[in-house]
Amino acid sequence: MLEDVSSKGAYVVIVSDSLEIMFFGINTIFFTFAMMILTVYKRPLPIDWPMVAALSALFGICMSHCGLVTTDRYSTLGSLDHMPTGQEMSGLLRGADGLLRTASFLSQLLMIHRCWAVWDRAWSVVSAPAVMAIAAYACAMNGPARIPTTAFRSPFVAPRNLPFDMAFCILSLAVYTTVTTLIIYRLRRLTAPVRSFRSVEGLIFSLGKSIIEAGALLVLAQLLILIFLYLENPALLIVESLAAQLYGIAPTVMILRLGFNVLPEGRVRWASTMAEFSTVVAGTTFETDSELGAADIELDLATAHAHSSMDRPASISSRTRAKAQLAGPSSRPH
């Protein structure tokens, strides 16, 4: 597949790299804000350093994959002498392929951690997805390891070991689907007693937030990889390039979705004592004078009922304090 620039579908070589560079820029922006939420905006709670390290490692892998693919494209298409052969580019191609599969594995672990936190840290719920994720990574790395350098025909794409690659895609899809379903089911059950929709837009917005929190984008990306791999279509390069960045974007956006609940002024943060990014986040916002005393509660997830007895620190906005001062003693209850 794509042995030279005259091969059918050779345009995907440029398109795939261009899209990956663009999505890497998006990934970088999201990663920067996620790091701020996990470190600066989480204070005075303890910083979850393992989560910071895992997300940083995932971002580094996504960045390295983009760099290797771009280097391969520049070295081949920008060569003034002759186009390098597949064997000459085998090191870059093998490295990029391994990084793609490692990024998938790390994103699966992050989603499994999220599911574990949502289900009150019940290991029995995530044991099956964890086993499937390890098996998928074993198949993913076993395939490229068995391919000799002489098998590299194309300077743009690594050869495929179809049985192992198909097993990797199927198991990864099973992990994402299982974890996403468990997270959405749990969130819907926990928020059902306090959830009310005044319009169709509110319902759609709530579903969209659930999709983001559950990482449903990863299910779609993995499904497309499986389809194009089975068809042996050159567009697989485009899908893999997008997926390489989505593996990092989806968990990062999930952290942003949770962290934005504590950023606006006047929010009250209820959190567990455990240092993890998926702690309970709830907010109370006072909008206008007529709405003073009305609460806009946004329940994050998962462990709300387990921490309902915790002490909740009081936090009141400056506008509310000013209103209380202006009201004077007459407004105070007797």
Side-chain angles (χ1 to χ4, degrees):
M1 184 170 62
L2 299 177
E3 294 185 1
D4 52 54
V5 292
S6 61
S7 302
K8 182 181 178 181
Y11 66 91
V12 302
V13 173
I14 296 296
V15 174
S16 62
D17 189 39
S18 301
L19 289 176
E20 182 167 5
I21 292 174
M22 181 180 68
F23 272 72
F24 172 67
I26 297 173
N27 190 8
T28 302
I29 295 173
F30 287 159
F31 173 76
T32 302
F33 281 102
M35 286 294 103
M36 293 172 61
I37 289 174
L38 286 174
T39 55
V40 177
Y41 289 104
K42 194 170 184 179
R43 297 174 181 174
L45 295 176
I47 298 175
D48 184 8
W49 290 113
M51 180 55 60
V52 172
L55 196 64
S56 300
L58 182 56
F59 176 77
I61 290 173
C62 294
M63 177 176 62
S64 300
H65 182 272
C66 184
L68 288 182
V69 172
T70 303
T71 302
D72 173 80
R73 304 299 186 258
Y74 177 80
S75 301
T76 52
L77 300 178
S79 177
L80 300 178
D81 241 350
H82 71 285
M83 181 174 292
T85 63
Q87 295 183 18
E88 293 174 338
M89 305 303 297
S90 61
L92 284 176
L93 296 176
R94 199 188 298 272
D97 204 27
L99 289 175
L100 174 67
R101 296 154 193 261
T102 304
S104 174
F105 177 63
L106 283 180
S107 69
Q108 291 172 35
L109 294 183
L110 287 174
M111 295 306 300
I112 290 173
H113 172 274
R114 168 67 169 156
C115 183
W116 171 74
V118 166
W119 282 86
D120 296 334
R121 305 170 185 86
W123 291 104
S124 58
V125 176
V126 299
S127 58
V131 171
M132 288 191 293
I134 295 173
Y137 189 61
C139 293
M141 302 309 292
N142 195 13
R146 291 172 175 267
I147 298 176
T149 303
T150 54
F152 284 77
R153 305 294 184 187
S154 170
F156 307 114
V157 57
R160 307 291 175 177
N161 191 329
L162 201 58
F164 284 102
D165 288 349
M166 289 293 294
F168 158 66
C169 290
I170 292 173
L171 288 171
S172 297
L173 180 61
V175 172
Y176 288 130
T177 303
T178 303
V179 171
T180 299
T181 303
L182 288 172
I183 293 176
I184 292 179
Y185 175 75
R186 183 67 167 175
L187 292 181
R188 293 297 90 187
R189 287 196 60 185
L190 287 176
T191 59
V194 296
R195 193 171 65 244
S196 61
F197 304 109
R198 299 179 180 178
S199 63
V200 177
E201 291 80 4
L203 175 61
I204 295 175
F205 184 69
S206 177
L207 292 175
K209 291 192 296 183
S210 297
I211 289 174
I212 292 175
E213 292 176 14
L217 290 176
L218 295 174
V219 178
L220 177 61
Q222 199 63 42
L223 178 62
L224 291 177
I225 290 178
L226 178 61
I227 293 174
F228 284 103
L229 178 63
Y230 177 77
L231 298 176
E232 297 185 2
N233 192 298
L236 176 64
L237 265 70
I238 297 178
V239 179
E240 286 185 337
S241 295
L242 295 178
Q245 300 306 316
L246 284 177
Y247 289 146
I249 290 175
T252 306
V253 170
M254 180 180 62
I255 294 175
L256 290 176
R257 165 69 187 94
L258 303 180
F260 279 152
N261 288 331
V262 302
L263 295 186
E265 184 183 11
R267 297 270 175 172
V268 179
R269 181 174 187 168
W270 302 343
S272 69
T273 55
M274 294 190 64
E276 56 184 346
F277 81 95
S278 50
T279 50
V280 179
V281 177
T284 303
T285 306
F286 301 113
E287 296 294 342
T288 62
D289 293 346
S290 61
E291 294 173 329
L292 187 60
D296 174 27
I297 304 293
E298 295 180 352
L299 290 180
D300 168 287
L301 341 147
T303 49
H305 66 288
H307 303 281
S308 59
S309 61
M310 292 183 57
D311 294 334
R312 297 166 182 174
S315 173
I316 185 168
S317 66
S318 58
R319 185 175 59 182
T320 306
R321 289 196 298 267
K323 183 176 179 63
Q325 293 172 1
L326 290 175
S330 60
S331 64
R332 298 175 183 172
H334 298 286

